[in-house]
Amino acid sequence: MTAVAAAQPAPNVVDPRTARKVTLAGCVGIFAELYDNGIFGFMAGTLGVVFFPDASNAVQVQLVFLGYAVSFFFRPLGGIICGHLGDRIGRQRMLVFVIMLISVATAAIGMLPTYASIGIAAPVLLILLRVLQGFSVGGEASGAMSFLAEHAPEGKRGLYTSYAQIASFLSLLTGTLIAAGMTSGLGSDAMESWGWRVPFLLAIPLGVAGLYIRKRISDTPNFNRLREEGGLSKNPLKEAFTSREHRRAMLLALFIPLMNGSGYYVLFGYMPTFMSTELHFSKVQGLLVTSASLVAISLAIPFMGRLSDRIGRKKVLSGAAIAMAALGIPCYLLIGTGNVALAVLGASIMAIVFAGHTGVIHILLVELFPTRVRYSAYGLGYNVSSALFGGTAPLLMTYLIAQTGNVNMPAFYAVITALGTLIAVSRVTDKAHLPLRDK
């Protein structure tokens, strides 16, 4: 009996003050990272004019989203390197590093010479800086979510990690409102002349704030306990690949996030461009519809996180996938009416449905892996998924719409990815009510 009891995972005991401090650190960092990454998509139309002035409007947008997509293929590399170091030397150190990296890369975009100044070198430099952003975000998501989950009190892991997702969508909302406000207030000429730089330069104060907070926190109880026991893995990713259980979990981490492609990257990142180029809304109207849906999802996420703590992750994720498959096409038809109020309704319904996915997915992925390999294995599976099905989604949508002339392609993509997520979730063993494993 004693041996069995000793083998059980140890539940976390975290005082509320420490939990709040850690949650703030995780959320501020996520906010800065996702703002820096998301502002590129919101400024796609203006960036196309600045960096690809000789192309047509449609080609400009495609080229910018190609640069957007390229960075995602460096996310797995960021996940591998940062994950390896995070499992070896600690989560906190890597989270400090990644926020420094993306803040510098984003601010540098705001300082780039334009195509008119240095020709083809301008878009080349733009894409290189997007690569650095992609590498950084690859190390952020799995690191920050593991950090929050490993600090969270038992029975509240879903709620605590959902706060980071609220921060991510509030960062998108901030970027949307800044882009909408500046576009409306300055006009196209001023935005293309100098205004486009301002949203990127805001990375500097955001990065300083995130860096200050993250440097003042300690590593997680799970990691510290494992280090004290001498239980850290020397090569966590190799260990993950040599275990049948971990290989299966990484495969699930690849396919469970499918809905992110149609949700996070299309419904929010691509929507303003889609509405202005394909549905003939003004740029400001497209950004405001996206803003309304971001408010809706930010309000819904903590309820989904808390619900998953009560009834389990699988039930919430499965319900969200079924609802998206059923409502995706009707909601996009509402957006396609050209009426702003109906577009807000359709986008907001989809946002609330998607909250059941995005508010729960990360804690489910955290719970698939033990502390020894969590940062590495979770980071690789999730970032490969983001590269294949997320970052390419806006580019895929613009291509399919151009080839078919059918503006409902995002709706079909929403249904397909929801069904894919539903199938993958059905293969998961729910661990919502068990302590996190260290080994």
Side-chain angles (χ1 to χ4, degrees), residues 85-164:
L85 293 173
D87 283 332
R88 293 285 296 123
I89 66 174
R91 284 78 162 106
Q92 186 262 352
R93 292 185 186 181
M94 294 315 302
L95 291 178
V96 168
F97 167 73
V98 294
I99 199 170
M100 287 176 60
L101 179 61
I102 199 169
S103 298
V104 170
T106 306
I109 290 177
M111 301 176 187
L112 280 180
T114 65
Y115 186 93
S117 300
I118 61 172
I120 193 64
V124 170
L125 289 172
L126 178 69
I127 290 174
L128 288 175
L129 291 171
R130 278 293 297 165
V131 166
L132 290 180
Q133 286 184 317
F135 181 95
S136 176
V137 175
E140 172 69 27
S142 54
M145 294 301 178
S146 296
F147 188 81
L148 286 174
E150 290 173 10
H151 268 292
E154 290 303 319
K156 294 186 178 181
R157 290 197 300 265
L159 176 62
Y160 273 63
T161 52
S162 76
Y163 290 146

Side-chain angles (χ1 to χ4, degrees), residues 61-62 65 270 278 393-403:
V61 172
Q62 288 183 342
F65 279 123
Y270 174 62
E278 305 297 341
L395 182 63
L396 178 63
M397 293 302 100
T398 57
Y399 173 78
L400 290 176
I401 291 171
Q403 292 299 308

Side-chain angles (χ1 to χ4, degrees), residues 38-352:
I39 196 66
F40 191 93
F42 295 136
M43 300 296 293
T46 302
L47 292 175
V49 175
V50 172
F51 288 96
F52 305 99
D54 296 334
S56 66
N57 289 342
V59 173
Q60 284 175 347
V61 172
Q62 288 183 342
L63 288 171
V64 172
F65 279 123
L66 176 61
Y68 184 82
V70 164
S71 72
F72 280 78
F73 289 97
F74 287 85
R75 281 196 181 191
L77 181 62
I80 290 171
I81 294 176
C82 295
H84 176 84
L85 293 173
D87 283 332
R88 293 285 296 123
I89 66 174
R91 284 78 162 106
Q92 186 262 352
R93 292 185 186 181
M94 294 315 302
L95 291 178
V96 168
F97 167 73
V98 294
I99 199 170
M100 287 176 60
L101 179 61
I102 199 169
S103 298
V104 170
T106 306
I109 290 177
M111 301 176 187
L112 280 180
T114 65
Y115 186 93
S117 300
I118 61 172
I120 193 64
V124 170
L125 289 172
L126 178 69
I127 290 174
L128 288 175
L129 291 171
R130 278 293 297 165
V131 166
L132 290 180
Q133 286 184 317
F135 181 95
S136 176
V137 175
E140 172 69 27
S142 54
M145 294 301 178
S146 296
F147 188 81
L148 286 174
E150 290 173 10
H151 268 292
E154 290 303 319
K156 294 186 178 181
R157 290 197 300 265
L159 176 62
Y160 273 63
T161 52
S162 76
Y163 290 146
Q165 287 300 88
I166 298 173
S168 76
F169 284 98
L170 288 179
S171 74
L172 292 183
L173 176 60
T174 302
T176 304
L177 293 177
I178 288 173
M182 292 190 66
T183 301
S184 178
L186 295 178
S188 297
D189 291 341
M191 282 296 292
E192 291 164 12
S193 174
W194 60 270
W196 65 272
R197 299 182 184 275
V198 175
F200 292 99
L201 293 175
L202 288 176
I204 297 174
L206 282 176
V208 170
L211 184 62
Y212 174 79
I213 293 173
R214 283 189 168 179
K215 285 180 72 69
R216 293 167 62 86
I217 54 177
S218 60
D219 226 312
T220 71
N222 297 70
F223 181 84
N224 287 335
R225 182 168 58 243
L226 199 60
R227 178 168 52 192
E228 290 167 4
E229 294 171 354
L232 296 178
S233 174
K234 293 182 179 180
N235 193 331
L237 199 56
K238 180 180 179 180
E239 182 177 324
F241 273 107
T242 56
S243 163
R244 181 178 180 182
E245 177 193 359
H246 297 339
R247 288 197 303 270
R248 181 178 183 275
M250 285 191 286
L251 195 62
L252 290 171
L254 175 65
F255 288 105
I256 290 171
L258 275 172
M259 260 179 72
N260 270 350
S262 59
Y264 195 94
Y265 298 106
V266 173
L267 180 58
F268 300 106
Y270 174 62
M271 184 60 72
T273 301
F274 170 69
M275 291 185 68
S276 63
T277 58
E278 305 297 341
L279 302 181
H280 309 296
F281 287 85
S282 71
K283 287 183 179 180
V284 173
Q285 286 175 329
L287 288 166
L288 290 178
V289 168
T290 302
S291 298
S293 64
L294 286 167
V295 171
I297 197 169
S298 297
L299 294 173
I301 282 173
F303 292 99
M304 299 299 181
R306 183 177 294 149
L307 183 63
S308 78
D309 283 330
R310 295 182 61 187
I311 69 172
R313 322 301 183 202
K314 285 185 68 171
K315 291 180 180 178
V316 178
L317 281 165
S318 298
I322 293 169
M324 183 66 80
L327 297 175
I329 292 175
C331 285
Y332 266 103
L333 291 176
L334 286 175
I335 296 170
T337 61
N339 181 285
V340 173
L342 291 178
V344 166
L345 177 62
S348 296
I349 291 172
M350 290 185 73
I352 293 170

